[in-house]
Amino acid sequence: MTRSGDHTPDLHIPVLLAPVMDVLRPVGGEVFVDGTFGAGGYTKALLDAAPCNVIAIDRDPNAIAAGARLAENYADRLTLVQGRFSQMEQIVADAGLPHVDGIVLDVGVSSMQLDQGERGFSFMRDGPLDMRMEQQGTSAADVVNDFEERDLRHIIGVLGEEKRAFSIAKAIVKRREHDPFTGTLDLAALIEATLGRPPKFKGPSIHPATRTFQALRIYVNAELKELAEALAAAERLLAPGGRLAIVTFHSLEDRIVKRFLHQRSGRAARASRHAPQLAELPPSFDDLARGGIVADETETATNPRARSARLRAGKRTGAAPHPFALEDFGREVALC
């Protein structure tokens, strides 16, 4: 992925890169927002594809620091900003721009964060029970050790879609009474002991701690609320003809994006109990990928993370942005 004549190191290739680029189709002079900079894969692909400009945002200060060299190589066309993608309107305004031509979001935890045991995102690596993308605020350890059992059960059940949330919450509360949780492997072991391992003859299975760790991470970082607010910000920020590409990795994220694009493209507005007036509004987006786009066999063979990825995309019309209300996005968002 290096450009001829530069010395930028090869970057992690993000999932669904080809279809994302097919949606964004950058041309010279356009401005894009990469709301989840991560390892810089989408940003570099955009910058290499055309003489465009990118404002890249990431909550994680480590990601921004790691992108310094990339920023040097594209100094006149790349701006790195530490912040949340829900804040993209203000970030773009601070850059002196009224709108942008494209936005890409790769939602959820990054592979870099999972690979760093000290960040506490993974139940496969020993580290502190942290999970904070911004490295400040309430940690996963705070939630596990201090929240009421009913709140733990609700978080794990809703945000983790864990059917045995009751058993896990009960076991956590019982254990922490005499020995608070501090590490990832400690919590993962407790969950595995509580649920047990699925029999191997039933085929491939996920680790028993997967859904609980997902729930804690989403809650700690208010990920679903951030996503809903980012989608609304993108609607207001994109110029007519502007393109939006969102890659999700689990059903909660995908449902939020799907609901948003259905409403904004005029295909599901009538179903909104909270905002029946949306049925009378002209579509603010054309849906470019009905049903979503998933990775092909070639990509999943080389990158197992791509198996759960789904791309949804839209093209901004000239209509005014629709009213935004968090309650339109479901109880999962309200819980965050």
Side-chain angles (χ1 to χ4, degrees), residues 3-336:
R3 182 179 56 178
S4 176
D6 72 24
H7 301 286
T8 305
D10 285 342
L11 296 175
H12 151 80
I13 298 177
V15 300
L16 296 170
L17 178 59
V20 165
M21 293 300 294
D22 190 49
V23 166
L24 297 177
R25 296 182 180 272
V27 298
E30 290 188 320
V31 179
F32 293 83
V33 169
D34 181 349
T36 46
F37 176 70
Y42 294 118
T43 287
K44 187 174 187 300
L46 286 166
L47 293 168
D48 285 348
C52 61
N53 292 272
V54 176
I55 299 172
I57 305 167
D58 205 291
R59 298 175 67 171
D60 191 337
N62 288 6
I64 298 300
R69 185 174 175 187
L70 187 67
E72 290 177 2
N73 289 335
Y74 298 91
D76 59 335
R77 297 197 287 126
L78 172 59
T79 302
L80 287 179
V81 181
Q82 183 184 340
R84 301 185 176 195
F85 54 33
S86 62
Q87 302 166 334
M88 69 174 78
E89 277 183 288
Q90 186 59 55
I91 291 170
V92 170
D94 290 344
L97 299 170
H99 55 72
V100 297
D101 302 289
I103 296 170
V104 58
L105 305 175
D106 179 357
V107 186
V109 67
S110 74
S111 56
M112 293 189 307
Q113 290 165 333
L114 287 172
D115 290 342
Q116 296 168 347
E118 66 273 16
R119 300 298 302 277
F121 285 98
S122 175
F123 52 80
M124 301 298 291
R125 299 176 186 274
D126 192 18
L129 195 55
D130 193 323
M131 303 192 191
R132 297 172 298 177
M133 292 181 180
E134 290 163 312
Q135 303 178 34
Q136 59 183 346
T138 301
S139 70
D142 295 328
V143 176
V144 169
N145 291 317
D146 299 336
F147 279 36
E148 296 288 338
E149 180 179 332
R150 65 177 180 276
D151 295 327
L152 285 175
R153 183 169 65 246
H154 195 46
I155 289 169
I156 295 169
V158 175
L159 299 183
E161 300 180 296
E162 172 57 71
K163 295 180 180 179
R164 298 185 63 186
F166 179 89
S167 298
I168 295 171
K170 190 175 186 65
I172 287 173
V173 171
K174 182 178 180 181
R175 205 322 275 282
R176 77 186 188 190
E177 290 177 355
H178 58 85
D179 189 10
F181 294 90
T182 59
T184 53
L185 296 186
D186 185 21
L187 177 60
L190 182 280
I191 296 170
E192 184 172 354
T194 302
L195 301 186
R197 281 278 193 172
K200 291 184 177 180
F201 65 81
K202 289 189 176 182
S205 60
I206 65 172
H207 190 282
T210 300
R211 294 187 177 92
T212 298
F213 270 64
Q214 171 187 298
L216 291 171
R217 190 202 79 229
I218 290 173
Y219 182 82
V220 164
N221 296 289
E223 290 180 27
L224 302 184
K225 178 175 178 287
E226 283 291 308
L227 174 58
E229 291 181 344
L231 292 171
E235 180 182 25
R236 296 187 294 266
L237 192 55
L238 283 167
R243 289 80 69 197
L244 175 64
I246 315 104
V247 178
T248 62
F249 290 89
H250 60 72
S251 59
L252 294 179
E253 299 167 344
D254 185 58
R255 281 202 297 269
I256 290 171
V257 179
K258 178 181 178 180
R259 184 179 295 122
F260 174 82
L261 287 174
H262 277 201
Q263 290 178 346
R264 268 50 179 184
S265 64
R267 292 191 291 126
R270 291 182 298 276
S272 175
R273 295 183 296 107
H274 305 289
Q277 71 275 14
L278 292 181
E280 302 174 4
L281 296 176
S284 58
F285 277 94
D286 293 325
D287 194 335
L288 299 181
R290 294 192 181 190
I293 297 171
V294 298
D296 59 25
E297 293 182 3
T298 300
E299 182 171 2
T300 56
T302 57
N303 183 5
R305 184 171 180 255
R307 292 172 186 162
S308 60
R310 183 178 296 271
L311 168 66
R312 294 189 184 273
K315 184 176 182 180
R316 193 69 172 85
T317 70
H322 289 200
F324 168 71
L326 279 176
E327 56 265 29
D328 288 343
F329 289 85
R331 64 171 184 156
E332 301 89 354
V333 172
L335 181 56
C336 285

